[in-house]
Amino acid sequence: MIEVLVAIAEDRQVSVAQVVLSWLLARPGITGAVFGARTEEQLHDDLAAVDLVLTADETARIGEATQPAAQYPFWHRANLATDRPDPGEAPYLPGYAAKVAQG
């Protein structure tokens, strides 16, 4: 996961923190992020993530690297509740279903 984040940050010439925050803020169901900066420089760097828009490919690469194993209740929801997903989980169920199918 770290290697993917670092590679994207280097390609975009931004910090890893900006990549992570940009990705996080673009996730379905995420309405805000809490972060802590120890210095004014870190604060400005973190806030710059708002202006960073990741490509679909970058987002997919991060998603693949960070997709956790399909543990309960996600494997159960991915297999048995796709007809009635919670709006917050709906974007993630196909990824969990794919993980379950892989074994």
Side-chain angles (χ1 to χ4, degrees):
M1 173 184 353
I2 298 299
E3 290 84 7
V4 171
L5 296 170
V6 168
I8 292 170
E10 288 175 351
D11 289 346
R12 299 295 293 273
Q13 297 181 342
V14 297
S15 70
V16 172
Q18 285 182 34
V19 172
V20 171
L21 289 169
S22 176
W23 176 75
L24 178 65
L25 290 170
R27 303 275 292 164
I30 302 295
T31 58
V34 176
F35 59 89
R38 288 180 282 158
T39 66
E40 187 175 338
E41 181 181 342
Q42 283 180 340
L43 176 63
H44 289 291
D45 185 71
D46 290 347
L47 292 174
V50 173
D51 297 323
L52 178 62
V53 178
L54 299 172
T55 66
D57 178 63
E58 291 167 336
T59 301
R61 287 170 51 202
I62 296 169
E64 289 173 18
T66 60
Q67 180 76 41
Q71 299 174 354
Y72 184 84
F74 302 112
W75 64 263
H76 183 268
R77 300 286 299 154
N79 287 325
L80 303 173
T82 56
D83 61 327
R84 56 188 184 286
D86 178 271
E89 72 180 354
Y92 308 111
L93 291 179
Y96 285 117
K99 288 279 187 178
V100 170
Q102 290 174 353

